Each structure stands twice: as C-alpha cells, then as structure tokens.
C-alpha cells in the first residue's frame, strides 16, 4: 500500500465484489483471502486485483448491504457442470494454482459469477461422492453378511444331506462315512486297517525270507568278520605304539643323566667345513651347514605359527596321553589340533642350561643302536638339534594314525550293521518280495557266486 491513493484511504468493504463475497463475514468460504477490490492500492497492487473500470461505477452506486449470507445460498447459484469440468482440468481452483495467490502469474482474473458457479458444482460433486461412498460401504457390508448366511445355510444343507451319497470308511467293521480328504472316518480306523494288513501279510513274507538264503546277508557277515580282524590288528598296533612311547620317555630320562666329554666337543667343532653354504627350505637364505638344522627348525616354526588348525570340540580319547595341543582360543572358539610336542603357538622350547648334555642315542647303519649317547653340550650340538621333540612327534603321529584307522573301522561296522538290520526289517519285508519260479531250487545264486 502506498497510503496516499483513494483506495488506500478507504476503510470499509463494498460487499459486492468477488473478494468481499468470499469473506467469512459476508458468508463466503474464505478461499480467495484477498481484501476488497475497491481497497486494492492503485499504485502498488497488481492490476488483476484491482477493480475494473467498467465495474467501478456499479460497485460505487450500489448500496452496501449489511449481510450477504442469504444471497450466497446454494439455490440462487445456477450449476454449470461443463464449466466446472473445464476449470478443473486447467487447475484453476487448486490452492496452489489460484491466480490471485501467485506472485508471478499475471493472467486475468476469473469472472466472479463463473467462478462461483464452478465452486458450487465442485461442492455438489463432493457431496455426491460421499453419498456414493457411503452407499458402496453399505453394499459391501450387506454382501459380507449375505455371504456368511449362504455359507451357514450350505453347511446346514450338507449336514442334512443323505449319508448314502458319501463314501464309506475303509476301516474294519466301520460303517461311518469317510472324511472329505481321507479314506477313513478317523485316524484310529486307518491304524486298525494297517495293523490287520501287517498281521496277514508279514508271517508269509518272513517264511519266504527264511526259505531262500540272502546273498547280501552272507556278504555282510563276511564283511563284518574282516572289519573285526582289522580292528583287532589296529588295537594291537596301538598297544605297540604305547609301549614305544614309554620306552622313548625312559630313553630320554637316561640320556639326560650322561656326563659331558670335552674331547667330543672339540672333535665336533673341527669336523665341519666353514666354506660350504646351503639354502634354507623355508625362507631361501644361504646358511652355514653347521647351524642349518637349528635355523631350519626355527624358520619352519615361525611360518607354521601363522596358520591355525582348530576344532570346536576338545579331544576325548581314553588312555591316550600327550596327543593334541587342545589349547582353547576364545576369539575363534576352537581348540588347537596340532601335535602337542610340535605346536609352535602354545608350546615353547625350554631354556637349555649350560651343563646339560645332548644325550642323543648313537646309531650305526642308520637304524641300529650302538648303546652310546652323544655327550656334547646341548647348546653346542648342532647335529642332534631338538632330537627329543622329533622322536616324540614321530611316535605321537603314528599313534594318531592308528586312532584314525580305528575310528574309520567303527564307522564301517556301524554302516554294515544298519544295512543288515534294515534288510530284514518290517518295512523292507512288506514292500519287497522275492518270487521263486522253481520251488526245487532254493539257492538263487550261480555256481561261480557260491
């Protein structure tokens, strides 16, 4: 507002323009929300909001009514559906698309009478939609009630229907009609019929089974005998390995009681060639043969500790001592399954004192023991480095192999016994039958199979 023109100085609304008739105080719906056209500033207001020059004399000459609520009744406004459809298609009555609510739209303002007629048609159509919706909901509820009544009548009709058209239950001595999805009227009738079939058919099948020898049964018995022989051999070998285990421990304790000899120490050091070099099998670095075994053992343990071998269950073998490491790892929730004497993660080599002797048993021709022991100090003996650990690992590994062999034989025995049990079981006898066309010959095998 400029505050100087005639429109800005006007204090009362005309009550005749479309903006006044939209106000609530004149009984309007308050959709346009604009002040009177005669009060729109002639300098700063948009042209589309001002009063037209043709209508200016009409608005000023017409006396100002006190209330226009009666003039806006639904009966006084004619309906024009085609006009309403045309304006709705263009989005003229959306709150977002009204021309007087847009700051950038300069389209001419709609005629007040035309807009009022279209608004009237819009409200009438809304009321029609609500009435149709109520009618549809009422129809749906009626449809559901009618469907429920028809279902109840149908069930009553099925109960009243004659039982002669239904299928009779197949149970023994039962005269009741069978269920819709079954051959029996109840589960008890089915169980009774199955029991009668077993009592009638099973004795004859057992007699047929006993008349002719079963080839698979005889083969299973021979296989069981072979498995039991192998189990006995494995147990004998396991006892032998346990004996070797205790003998090795006694040998190691006896070797530790030997005394150091200085002459053997000097001979050990002089016999080595210092110019020769070999390469480590783990890291590939060139090393002196004098310390090759020590270096290779430590290098292998370093690379081996980078991997883990674990299981979710600890080892439970009765009578077995010092087999697996079985140290629990809380992060992976597993038990270590390396040999206890060779595990680089959880078993550290003890510190060797200075006065401890090597004690390795001396041999000739590779395998024959001489009865003597190496009496070089253990710290300086490079030829027999970690001989106790390697001997113990050899015995433990052989024991583990025997235990695996026993476990495999037990599994084979279980499978054979299960097959023999199922072969002459109730289900197999009821489902399978061997027909003998020649009643004189009872053995159906050929001469080569016998």
């Amino acid at each position: 507002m400029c505050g100087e023109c005639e429109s800005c100085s006007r204090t009362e609304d005309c009550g005749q323009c479309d903006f006044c008739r939209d106000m609530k105080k004149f009984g309007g719906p308050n959709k346009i929300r604009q002040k009177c056209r005669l009060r729109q500033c002639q300098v700063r207001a948009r042209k589309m909001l001002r009063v037209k020059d043709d209508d200016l004399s009409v608005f000023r000459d017409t006396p100002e009514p006190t209330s226009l609520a009666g003039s806006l009744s639904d009966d006084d406004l004619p309906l024009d559906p085609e006009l309403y459809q045309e304006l709705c298609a263009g989005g003229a009555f959306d709150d977002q698309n009204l021309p007087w609510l847009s700051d950038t739209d300069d389209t001419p303002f709609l005629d007040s009478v035309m807009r009022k007629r279209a608004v009237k048609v819009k409200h009438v159509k809304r009321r029609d939609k609500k009435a149709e919706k109520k009618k549809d909901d009422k129809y749906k509820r009626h449809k559901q009630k009618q469907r429920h009544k028809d279902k109840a009548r149908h069930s009553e009709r099925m109960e009243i229907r004659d039982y002669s058209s239904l299928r009779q239950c197949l149970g023994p001595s039962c005269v009741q009609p069978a269920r819709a999805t079954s051959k029996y009227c109840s589960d008890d009738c089915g169980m009774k019929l199955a029991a009668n079939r077993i009592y009638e058919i099973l004795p004859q099948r057992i007699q047929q089974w006993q008349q002719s020898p079963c080839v698979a049964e005889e083969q299973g018995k021979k296989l069981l005998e072979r498995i039991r022989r192998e189990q006995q051999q494995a147990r004998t070998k396991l006892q032998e390995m346990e004996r070797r285990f205790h003998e090795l421990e006694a040998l190691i304790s006896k070797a530790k009681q030997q005394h150091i000899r200085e002459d053997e120490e000097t001979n050990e050091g002089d016999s080595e060639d210092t110019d020769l070099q070999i390469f480590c099998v783990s890291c590939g670095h060139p090393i002196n043969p004098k310390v090759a075994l020590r270096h290779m053992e430590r290098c292998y343990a370093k690379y081996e500790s980078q991997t883990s071998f674990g299981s979710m269950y600890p080892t439970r073998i009765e009578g077995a001592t010092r087999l697996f490491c079985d140290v629990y790892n809380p992060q992976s929730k597993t038990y270590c399954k390396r040999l206890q004497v060779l595990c680089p993660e959880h078993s550290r080599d003890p510190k060797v004192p200075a006065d401890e002797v090597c004690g390795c048993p001396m041999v000739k021709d590779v395998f024959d023991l001489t009865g003597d022991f190496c009496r070089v100090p253990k710290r300086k003996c490079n030829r027999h480095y970690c001989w106790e650990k390697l001997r113990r690992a050899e015995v433990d590994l052989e024991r583990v192999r025997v235990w695996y062999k026993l476990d495999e034989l037990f599994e084979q025995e279980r499978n054979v016994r299960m097959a023999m049990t199922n072969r002459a079981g109730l289900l197999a006898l009821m489902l399978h039958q061997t027909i003998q066309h020649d009643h004189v010959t009872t053995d159906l095998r050929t001469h080569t199979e016998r």
Side-chain angles (χ1 to χ4, degrees):
M1 297 175 61
C2 66
E4 298 177 358
C5 64
E6 182 181 358
S7 299
C8 292
S9 60
R10 184 182 177 92
T11 57
E12 296 181 0
D13 299 327
C14 69
Q16 297 293 325
C17 64
D18 51 353
F19 291 169
C20 290
R21 286 184 290 178
D22 179 70
M23 299 179 185
K24 282 190 174 181
K25 66 179 181 179
F26 294 114
N30 196 25
K31 292 287 186 181
I32 304 176
R33 298 180 184 179
Q34 293 290 333
K35 63 183 178 180
C36 178
R37 285 188 177 274
L38 296 180
R39 295 181 63 189
Q40 298 287 344
C41 181
Q42 298 178 3
V43 179
R44 297 186 178 181
R46 303 178 71 87
K47 291 182 180 182
M48 58 178 294
L49 299 178
R50 304 175 196 170
V51 66
K52 299 178 182 178
D53 296 337
D54 300 335
D55 300 336
L56 182 61
S57 59
V58 178
F59 289 158
R60 290 183 178 178
D61 297 337
T62 306
E64 187 174 330
T66 56
S67 175
L68 296 178
S71 62
L72 295 177
S73 61
D74 295 337
D75 299 333
D76 296 336
L77 292 175
L79 301 179
D80 192 354
E82 296 180 358
L83 176 63
Y84 172 72
Q85 295 292 338
E86 180 181 353
L87 294 178
C88 284
F93 295 104
D94 296 342
D95 291 342
Q96 294 85 359
N97 298 327
L98 287 176
W100 45 79
L101 295 180
S102 174
D103 294 334
T104 59
D105 193 0
D106 293 336
T107 56
F109 185 73
L110 296 173
D111 184 72
S112 60
V113 179
M114 183 187 301
R115 183 187 54 77
K116 199 63 184 180
R117 291 177 180 176
V119 170
K120 167 60 182 171
V121 174
K122 185 176 180 181
H123 290 316
V124 170
K125 190 168 185 180
R126 228 180 249 169
R127 287 196 297 270
D128 294 342
K129 285 184 178 180
K130 289 183 179 179
E132 291 178 0
K133 188 176 181 181
K134 289 182 179 178
K135 189 183 297 183
D136 292 342
D137 295 342
K138 187 175 180 181
Y139 177 73
K140 287 181 181 179
R141 289 195 296 270
H142 174 71
K143 198 77 174 177
Q144 291 177 356
K145 290 181 180 179
Q146 188 67 25
R147 194 181 298 114
H148 181 71
K149 290 180 180 178
D150 294 343
K151 190 175 180 180
R153 291 173 184 172
H154 180 70
S155 60
E156 292 176 359
R157 211 177 295 120
M158 288 291 292
E159 293 177 358
I160 299 173
R161 193 171 60 180
D162 188 11
Y163 284 112
S164 59
S165 60
L166 297 178
R167 183 173 54 182
Q168 185 178 351
C169 175
L170 297 181
S173 304
C174 182
V175 294
Q176 298 295 329
R179 290 178 292 190
T181 58
S182 176
K183 298 179 181 179
Y184 312 99
C185 63
S186 62
D187 295 341
D188 294 337
C189 285
M191 297 296 291
K192 290 179 181 178
L193 182 60
N196 290 346
R197 285 175 177 171
I198 292 175
Y199 294 149
E200 183 178 354
I201 301 174
L202 186 60
Q204 182 181 359
R205 295 293 175 85
I206 293 177
Q207 185 178 3
Q208 291 178 358
W209 173 266
Q210 293 176 352
Q211 284 179 358
S212 60
C214 181
V215 179
E217 193 75 14
E218 295 183 2
Q219 291 178 353
K221 291 179 181 179
K222 292 180 180 179
L223 186 58
L224 277 179
E225 293 177 0
R226 183 181 62 80
I227 292 175
R228 287 168 184 167
R229 285 197 304 268
E230 292 181 359
Q231 289 178 354
Q232 187 62 33
Q233 293 174 2
R235 290 191 182 95
T236 305
K237 189 174 182 180
L238 186 61
Q239 293 176 359
E240 178 67 20
M241 297 309 300
E242 292 290 337
R243 185 182 60 80
R244 284 183 56 188
F245 168 76
H246 293 293
E247 288 180 356
L248 179 60
E249 294 298 325
L251 181 63
I252 293 174
S253 62
K254 182 179 179 181
K256 289 182 179 181
Q257 298 175 1
Q258 304 298 321
H259 298 285
I260 299 176
R261 287 185 182 179
E262 298 296 336
D263 55 347
E264 291 189 7
E265 180 181 352
T266 56
N267 295 334
E268 178 73 18
D270 295 340
S271 62
E272 295 294 339
D273 187 5
T274 58
D275 296 336
L276 183 64
Q277 284 188 345
I278 61 176
F279 294 93
C280 176
V281 295
S282 298
C283 64
H285 291 169
I287 52 177
N288 194 328
K290 184 177 180 180
V291 294
L293 289 177
R294 190 183 300 270
H295 172 84
M296 289 182 183
E297 185 67 26
R298 292 179 179 177
C299 196
Y300 174 76
K302 180 179 68 175
Y303 285 106
E304 184 71 13
S305 61
Q306 296 178 1
T307 59
S308 60
F309 302 91
S311 173
M312 297 176 60
Y313 307 101
T315 304
R316 294 187 179 93
I317 300 178
E318 296 181 359
T321 55
R322 199 195 65 199
L323 275 180
F324 297 104
C325 180
D326 274 338
V327 174
Y328 182 71
N329 186 359
Q331 294 181 353
S332 60
K333 297 181 180 180
T334 56
Y335 294 88
C336 181
K337 290 304 174 184
R338 287 193 183 95
L339 288 178
Q340 186 177 1
V341 294
L342 290 180
C343 183
E345 285 187 275
H346 310 108
S347 62
R348 301 285 181 178
D349 294 335
K351 188 175 180 180
V352 180
D355 57 346
E356 185 175 351
V357 69
C358 175
C360 180
M362 305 300 291
V363 295
K364 65 178 180 178
D365 298 334
V366 183
F367 297 107
D368 297 334
L369 294 174
T370 60
D372 296 333
F373 298 93
C374 177
R375 298 190 181 185
V376 179
K378 195 168 188 178
R379 286 186 177 181
K380 298 180 180 180
C381 184
N382 296 319
R383 183 178 297 176
H384 309 123
Y385 179 71
C386 291
W387 70 273
E388 304 102 323
K389 183 170 71 172
L390 296 178
R391 293 281 185 93
R392 285 170 175 167
E394 181 183 1
V395 175
D396 291 349
L397 184 60
E398 193 66 27
R399 291 163 62 204
V400 169
R401 288 175 179 170
V402 176
W403 279 112
Y404 280 146
K405 182 65 176 178
L406 273 176
D407 184 65
E408 183 181 355
L409 292 174
F410 285 140
E411 184 68 18
Q412 291 180 7
E413 182 182 4
R414 187 184 66 84
N415 293 335
V416 172
R417 288 186 177 276
M418 184 179 296
M420 294 175 65
T421 304
N422 294 336
R423 188 174 295 118
L426 173 63
L427 186 61
L429 291 176
M430 294 290 292
L431 295 179
H432 308 293
Q433 182 181 8
T434 302
I435 301 176
Q436 295 182 354
H437 300 282
D438 186 6
H439 297 284
V440 178
T441 305
T442 58
D443 195 349
L444 303 180
R445 293 176 295 175
T446 61
H447 293 284
T448 56
E449 294 176 350
R450 296 177 190 176

